[in-house]
Amino acid sequence: MSVSPSSLTSSAIVTRLRAAGCVFAEDEAELIVSTARTPSGLAAMVDRRVAGLPLEHVLGWAEFCGLRVAVDPDVFVPRRRTEFLVRQAAALARPGAVVVDLCCGSGAVGVALAEALGQAELYAADVDPAAVRCARRNIGAAGGQVYEGDLFEPLPAALRGRIEVLAANVPYVPTEEVGLLPSEAREHEPLVALDGGADGLDVLRRVAAGAPRWLAPGGSLLVETSERQAQLAVEAFTGSGLITKVAVSEELYATVVIGTRPAGPST
């Protein structure tokens, strides 16, 4: 049941959010109040959050690597653990590097990488039209280009053999486990951004297979996965001829597999 805008004090918002199961009700209330532009807009935002929409969809943005990244409805919400992937990628790149954010969603990874590097030749791609529209707002503001299509397919052919950092936050939830995800993800994020196939690694394997043709010599592919999937992901990377290692953040509960194309003849 919605509440009239005039009765929406901060304490009333906290009470409603807590009753709806929001664990961090006070923090969420502060963000909603600071984002709303009008009393009626505030009431509508509280109603949407109480109804179960992800906070980021309610706000219209997510905080990621210290940046505010626009996140539209029905677009995958960037997770804090993915900041670890950005840090690993930034450590491998130089300012002005050719960077591709594959399976880009909102484009958060690409934008954060461009910010970390100071400048980058930035490209992104996603198969989901809603994600592409959202990413064009974020990536475009960073001077990059976003393409719609399946993995490498829509990228300009001129990028073959030139990509220095290929960051791919692929879907990696096994199909049978999608139903175990929190309702916010199951009901409000696109299935294509979550479901990674039978063992969760279908898309990762396809990216690993295609990456050597697109990476520059010495360029690296970075993919987030789970700890229990890491060994199979490593096998996919090494099977494609990439020099592979695994980076782990206990703090963020994040696992990133990094594969580097040898600095030799073209693959």
Side-chain angles (χ1 to χ4, degrees):
M1 187 176 94
S2 62
V3 178
S4 68
S6 61
S7 63
L8 271 179
T9 63
S10 291
S11 61
I13 293 171
V14 170
T15 299
R16 289 197 68 205
L17 294 177
R18 190 177 289 127
C22 299
V23 177
F24 303 104
E26 290 84 358
D27 293 337
E28 291 195 10
E30 184 177 344
L31 288 169
I32 291 171
V33 168
S34 65
T35 302
R37 295 182 178 179
T38 64
S40 60
L42 173 62
M45 291 173 72
V46 173
D47 286 346
R48 289 197 294 272
R49 182 60 179 137
V50 168
L53 266 70
L55 176 65
E56 294 81 3
H57 288 167
V58 172
L59 298 174
W61 56 270
E63 183 177 342
F64 186 76
C65 291
L67 305 172
R68 280 195 177 188
V69 178
V71 180
D72 294 337
D74 301 318
V75 172
F76 181 80
V77 175
R79 298 344 189 215
R80 182 165 177 257
R81 64 175 171 268
T82 307
E83 294 181 0
F84 182 63
L85 184 153
V86 172
R87 293 205 295 267
Q88 295 297 309
L92 295 171
R94 58 175 179 80
V98 177
V99 173
V100 171
D101 181 359
L102 207 60
C103 304
C104 68
S106 65
V109 169
V111 169
L113 266 173
E115 178 72 16
L117 296 175
Q119 57 177 330
E121 189 178 332
L122 178 61
Y123 304 89
D126 200 288
V127 73
D128 180 49
V132 169
R133 287 193 296 271
C134 184
R136 282 180 174 150
R137 292 165 57 201
N138 292 313
I139 296 283
Q145 299 291 324
V146 184
Y147 301 90
E148 181 181 332
D150 184 41
L151 300 182
F152 301 99
E153 190 176 279
L155 294 177
L159 286 178
R160 284 180 181 264
R162 291 187 57 230
I163 300 173
E164 295 166 69
V165 171
L166 175 59
N169 191 18
V170 301
Y172 58 89
V173 179
T175 300
E176 290 188 352
E177 296 179 20
V178 171
L180 304 177
L181 292 172
S183 60
E184 289 184 10
R186 290 196 322 269
E187 298 174 11
H188 301 288
E189 293 183 315
L191 184 62
V192 70
L194 303 171
D195 189 345
D199 66 355
L201 298 176
D202 284 1
V203 181
L204 182 147
R205 290 189 181 95
R206 292 178 59 214
V207 172
R213 293 188 296 275
W214 292 85
L215 289 172
S220 295
L221 164 66
L222 300 95
V223 176
E224 179 181 288
T225 188
S226 70
E227 183 179 8
R228 65 187 170 92
Q229 295 166 314
Q231 185 53 47
L232 288 175
V234 166
E235 292 172 9
F237 276 43
T238 56
S240 293
L242 300 174
I243 301 167
T244 307
K245 67 176 183 177
V246 178
V248 176
S249 168
E250 300 292 345
E251 175 196 1
L252 294 177
Y253 196 61
T255 301
V256 173
V257 181
I258 305 169
T260 301
R261 178 184 159 187
S266 297
T267 301

